Amino acid sequence: MRRDVRILLVGDEAVGKSTIVTSLIKESFVAHVQHIVPEVTIPPEVTPENVTTYIVDSGSGPQDRPHLESEIRKAHVICVVYAIDNPNSFDRIPTYWLPSFRQLGVNVPVILVGNKIDLRGGEVTNEALEEEIVPIMNEFKEVETCVECSAKLPLNVSEVFYFAQKAVLHPTAPLYDSRDHVLKKECVAALRRIFKLCDANKDGILDAAELNEFQRKCFDAPLQAQELEGIKEMVRAHAEGGVRDGGLTEAGFLYLHTIFIQRGRLETTWTVLRKFGYAEDLRLTESFLYPKFDVAYDCSVELSPKGYQFFTDIFETFDKDQDGALRTEELEDLFSTSPGNPWASQRFPDTTVSSDTGAVTLQGWLAQWSMTTLLEYKTTLAHLAYLGYPEEPRTGALHITRPRKMDRRKGKVTRNVFLCYVCGAAGSGKTSLLRAFADKAFSEVYEPTKKMNSVVNSVDIQGSEKYLVLQEFGSKYEAETLRNPKKTELADVIVNVYDSSDTNSFSYISNLRQQYNLDHIPTLFVATKSDLDLAQQRHEVQPDVYCRRLGLQVPVAVSVKTGQTADVFHAICSIAMNPSSAIPGGSDRAMTAAARFRMYVTVCTIIGGAATGAIFVYRTFVRPGGTTFSGLGAQWVGWLLGRREL
C-alpha cells in the first residue's frame, strides 16, 4: 500500500482554499492568510491512515498557471474547492476544472469541496446536494465524493482531507462502477476467489466458524454472535439466496461488499483484498506470490512436513467422490483459485502416478509437488498462495537442504527428493524406462523425445519414502545440459541407458563420457531390451568390462516390455543416498577441477625440485580396471587431470 499521499487544492479565486489549509493546521479560523500557503507535511502518526500526507495549495490566476499544471501532474488526489455563496465557482467544476485535468492527461481521484456552509443562514446541511452532484459524478467517474465544510466555524475541515486520503488509499474506481452501481468484474473475480479460499469445507457457504476465521485473518478480531446474526439478517432481507443453511453464500458475500462500498466503507473491502495479496490493479502482488526465500548454490528445495500436510489436506478436500484420486473436474475445481494447472504443458498426468482412468492418486499428487518444488520451487511458492496455505510465513511449507557437496563429503545424504539424468542414444529406451517408473503402460510406438521429459514417483528405501525425479532431454537438449556445469551439479545420479540389442548403442554413451566431464557424478549403466537377443557392442571393450574398469557395477539389464525392471529405480535411489559407492573410478576421483589443479601444482613443484637435484622420481599406481602403470611423476599428474582412455 502507498506510504504517502499528495493532496492538491484547486479552485477559483476567493473560494477559501488557503483558509481551509490554515484552519486544518491551526485548528481555528484565520481571517487573513497569504495568497498561497506553502506546502504542508503531516507526519503519519497524526493521520488516521498512518501515511505521510503532503497538502499543496494553489492559485488560479494566469501567473499561477505553470505552477498549477506542474502540481496537478504530481498530485495523488485533487480537491476542487467551490464556495457555497458563489454558484459560478460550482458551475465551473464540470465546464472548466474537470476537463482541464483530462486535457493534461491526469487520471487521479477528485474530491469536490463545498466551502463556506456557514453562509447558508444557519442551515449547514444541504438536502439537494446529491441532486446537484450526481450528474457530475455520472459524467466524470474520477469524482469520488463531495464534502461540504466551513473553514470559518471550522466544520468538516479534517473530513475533507480524510476523504482525500481514502480516495488514494482505498480508491473506488478499481472496485465499483459508479454509473451502473455494480461491482466491477475484476473485483467480483477477486472476491469470489477469496470466498472459495475461506470456504474451508467447500460446501458453498461460509458458516459461523469460517466467517470468524475470515474476520480474524482480515481484522484481527472475531465476530460477536449478535453481529453475525445482524449481518445475516441484513443479507437475507436484501439479497436473494444470500443466506443458506445458516451460512453466507457467495452471493451474500458479494452483496455485503457492494453495501460497504456504496456506504463509503471502501477501506473494509480494500483491507480484505490486501490481506489476500491484491494490489490496486486487483492482481496478486509479486511480493505476495514470491516472498523472500534465498536458496544457496548446491542446495535444493523440498516440501517440509507442513507442506506435505497442506497438499494432502487439499487433495482430500477436493476428492469429492472419495475414490482416492482427483479426476479432471476435481482438479479444475482445485485450481480454480489459481491461474490454472501449473503442469498443463508438461504431459501431466503422465508425469506421475495416476489411476487406470487417468485420475491422479494421492501418491502421484504428492510426488508431482515434490518434483515441482525440486525443479521450480517458485512455482510451488506461488501456488501455496493461490491455493490458500493458511500459515505465515508461507515459506515454512518449504525446506532448504544441505549442499550436495557437503552430503557427499560427509557420506550421509539428508535429502528426500533426488534428481536423476537419463542419457542415451535415440531409440535406446529412455522414454519407456521413464513411463515404467510412473506406472504407465508400455507403448510399441516409437516417438523421439523432442523436449525435456520429467517423471516422478516415490521409492521405498528401508521403510523410508523418497521421491525420485527422472529426466531425459532428447538429442536436441542433451548436449546443452551436459556441457553446462551449473546443470550437471544439480544431478544426484546419471543413468546411462543403451539398447543391448543394438550394436551401436553403447558407443553413444562412451562418446558422451569422453566429451563431457561427468566423473564427479554418481553413475549407473542400464542395458534395456533384455528380452531381445544380446548384441556384441561395437566398442573397444564390452559394457561389463567398461564398467569394471570404472569401478562401477556392471550394467543392470531390464526389459520394460516384459515388466522386468530388476528394481532399477530402487538401485538409482540407493546410489543417490550413498553417492560415493558409484563414482566412476572410485570416490577418490570425485574431486573438483580446482582440487586436481592444486595437486597438479604441488606435484610439478616436487618434480621440478627433483630434476634440479638430478633425481628421477618413479611412481607405480593402478588405474581403475586393474592395469598397472609405471613412469615419471608427470604421467601421474596427467592421470589426475583426467587425461585417460578406457
Side-chain angles (χ1 to χ4, degrees):
M1 190 171 72
R2 185 186 295 277
R3 303 315 306 166
D4 67 303
V5 175
R6 190 172 184 84
I7 303 171
L8 173 65
L9 278 69
V10 304
D12 291 352
E13 289 292 330
V15 294
K17 301 184 296 295
S18 303
T19 310
I20 290 174
V21 177
T22 305
S23 291
L24 176 74
I25 303 305
K26 301 292 186 181
E27 297 184 351
S28 62
F29 177 64
V30 179
H32 302 287
V33 297
Q34 61 193 93
H35 174 58
I36 299 176
V37 175
E39 180 178 313
V40 175
T41 300
I42 302 177
E45 56 270 16
V46 298
T47 65
E49 298 291 345
N50 195 34
V51 293
T52 302
T53 303
Y54 305 98
I55 300 174
V56 182
D57 192 12
S58 67
S60 58
Q63 72 279 9
D64 302 311
R65 190 67 190 177
H67 177 260
L68 176 61
E69 290 186 359
S70 173
E71 289 298 339
I72 288 173
R73 289 190 171 95
K74 291 191 290 186
H76 298 147
V77 56
I78 301 173
C79 294
V80 183
V81 183
Y82 64 95
I84 296 298
D85 64 336
N86 181 359
N88 185 55
S89 67
F90 178 81
D91 294 339
R92 275 170 48 83
I93 292 173
T95 60
Y96 174 74
W97 286 108
L98 294 173
S100 294
F101 305 154
R102 290 186 174 183
Q103 287 173 5
L104 292 172
V106 172
N107 183 22
V108 297
V110 174
I111 306 295
L112 305 186
V113 180
N115 190 26
K116 305 184 182 182
I117 57 174
D118 53 284
L119 299 178
R120 200 173 270 148
E123 189 66 43
V124 295
T125 60
N126 182 5
E127 299 296 338
L129 181 62
E130 182 177 349
E131 186 178 327
E132 296 171 353
I133 296 300
V134 166
I136 297 177
M137 295 182 71
N138 285 338
E139 183 179 355
F140 298 93
K141 291 200 171 186
E142 56 268 38
V143 176
E144 291 274 331
T145 189
C146 180
V147 184
E148 291 192 331
C149 70
S150 169
K152 186 174 183 178
L153 292 178
L155 179 68
N156 284 351
V157 172
S158 61
E159 280 75 6
V160 170
F161 299 97
Y162 171 66
F163 280 107
Q165 280 186 332
K166 281 184 59 176
V168 176
L169 302 174
H170 313 299
T172 303
L175 308 183
Y176 191 71
D177 189 323
S178 301
R179 182 173 296 167
D180 296 331
H181 305 291
V182 294
L183 297 176
K184 289 188 174 178
K185 63 178 183 179
E186 295 84 1
C187 180
V188 170
L191 291 173
R192 279 179 172 163
R193 176 178 173 272
I194 292 170
F195 179 89
K196 287 182 179 180
L197 292 177
C198 295
D199 181 15
N201 58 7
K202 311 305 174 189
D203 62 352
I205 62 171
L206 297 183
D207 58 29
E210 290 165 340
L211 279 170
N212 265 311
E213 178 58 26
F214 165 77
Q215 183 79 4
R216 182 202 62 76
K217 178 181 176 68
C218 295
F219 305 104
D220 296 321
L223 279 170
Q224 299 300 319
Q226 188 175 355
E227 292 175 314
L228 182 56
E229 285 306 313
I231 289 172
K232 288 194 287 188
E233 279 302 315
M234 182 181 69
V235 173
R236 193 180 284 114
H238 297 94
E240 185 178 352
V243 177
R244 189 180 78 238
D245 299 332
L248 200 64
T249 66
E250 183 184 273
F253 187 71
L254 293 174
Y255 169 77
L256 272 181
H257 284 282
T258 303
I259 291 300
F260 290 147
I261 293 168
Q262 288 176 344
R263 294 181 179 178
R265 290 177 55 189
L266 287 101
E267 65 273 15
T268 302
T269 299
W270 274 116
T271 298
V272 171
L273 290 167
R274 286 171 178 143
K275 282 289 183 180
F276 282 85
Y278 287 94
E280 286 186 15
D281 59 1
L282 294 184
R283 295 179 181 178
L284 294 174
T285 64
E286 288 288 306
S287 60
F288 178 74
L289 292 175
Y290 307 107
K292 184 175 175 59
F293 190 68
D294 297 324
V295 181
Y297 171 73
D298 203 32
C299 295
S300 58
V301 182
E302 300 176 357
L303 288 173
S304 69
K306 286 184 177 181
Y308 279 115
Q309 188 61 54
F310 171 74
F311 283 117
T312 300
D313 291 344
I314 203 169
F315 178 97
E316 293 173 347
T317 298
F318 283 91
D319 182 18
K320 294 296 186 182
D321 53 11
Q322 297 185 341
D323 64 347
L326 295 179
R327 295 175 284 107
T328 301
E329 298 79 7
E330 291 170 332
L331 280 170
E332 288 176 354
D333 193 18
L334 188 155
F335 285 119
S336 64
T337 57
S338 76
N341 188 327
W343 316 301
S345 62
Q346 300 175 16
R347 303 182 183 179
F348 179 82
D350 285 349
T351 54
T352 190
V353 183
S354 57
S355 68
D356 294 339
T357 59
V360 181
T361 64
L362 178 58
Q363 177 187 346
W365 172 254
L366 296 179
Q368 185 73 28
W369 280 113
S370 298
M371 176 168 69
T372 301
T373 306
L374 178 71
L375 301 179
E376 299 174 358
Y377 72 85
K378 287 187 176 181
T379 299
T380 300
L381 204 52
H383 276 79
L384 287 166
Y386 290 135
L387 301 177
Y389 183 76
E391 296 184 24
E392 293 295 337
R394 206 178 327 122
T395 51
L398 304 182
H399 166 67
I400 300 174
T401 68
R402 197 165 64 182
R404 284 180 175 81
K405 288 181 181 178
M406 184 180 294
D407 273 350
R408 291 171 184 172
R409 188 167 63 247
K410 290 180 176 292
K412 183 180 179 182
V413 175
T414 58
R415 288 173 294 116
N416 296 303
V417 187
F418 302 109
L419 176 61
C420 170
Y421 290 167
V422 180
C423 303
S428 61
K430 302 186 298 295
T431 302
S432 294
L433 193 66
L434 266 64
R435 286 182 57 82
F437 183 50
D439 292 338
K440 300 296 183 286
F442 175 77
S443 174
E444 294 278 4
V445 180
Y446 170 66
E447 293 183 11
T449 303
K450 296 181 179 178
K451 62 178 183 178
M452 187 174 67
N453 181 24
S454 305
V455 301
V456 63
N457 202 344
S458 59
V459 179
D460 184 88
I461 302 291
Q462 298 177 346
S464 177
E465 189 174 53
K466 306 294 181 181
Y467 290 99
L468 178 61
V469 177
L470 301 184
Q471 280 190 335
E472 62 163 327
F473 307 97
S475 56
K476 184 177 180 181
Y477 299 104
E478 191 168 74
E480 177 186 324
T481 301
L482 297 181
R483 75 163 63 100
N484 187 338
K486 289 184 178 179
K487 292 185 177 180
T488 56
E489 286 293 334
L490 298 176
D492 295 292
V493 183
I494 285 186
V495 170
N496 291 316
V497 175
Y498 70 97
D499 178 356
S500 62
S501 68
D502 180 354
T503 59
N504 297 311
S505 188
F506 189 78
S507 293
Y508 178 88
I509 294 173
S510 178
N511 290 335
L512 275 185
R513 295 197 67 257
Q514 289 181 13
Q515 193 170 357
Y516 305 108
N517 180 26
L518 306 174
D519 280 357
H520 61 292
I521 306 173
T523 303
L524 179 69
F525 286 78
V526 174
T528 59
K529 307 184 185 180
S530 63
D531 55 304
L532 302 179
D533 291 339
L534 182 65
Q536 189 81 358
Q537 295 294 316
R538 289 178 181 169
H539 191 262
E540 57 188 41
V541 293
Q542 291 306 295
D544 57 336
V545 176
Y546 185 92
C547 288
R548 289 193 186 98
R549 288 185 177 181
L550 288 173
L552 302 175
Q553 72 176 83
V554 297
V556 179
V558 302
S559 170
V560 174
K561 183 177 181 179
T562 60
Q564 298 172 346
T565 56
D567 212 8
V568 66
F569 308 117
H570 186 280
I572 296 170
C573 231
S574 297
I575 288 172
M577 293 183 66
N578 185 20
S580 61
S581 66
I583 297 293
S587 59
D588 60 316
R589 296 277 291 278
M591 59 181 64
T592 63
R596 289 179 178 176
F597 181 74
R598 286 195 298 271
M599 187 168 289
Y600 168 76
V601 172
T602 302
V603 174
C604 281
T605 303
I606 294 171
I607 293 170
T612 302
I615 299 173
F616 291 94
V617 181
Y618 261 74
R619 293 285 184 185
T620 301
F621 61 95
V622 180
R623 283 195 186 184
T627 306
T628 302
F629 294 85
S630 296
L632 289 173
Q635 289 178 296
W636 185 46
V637 174
W639 179 73
L640 283 169
L641 289 175
R643 296 196 293 269
R644 59 196 176 278
E645 296 179 1
L646 287 171

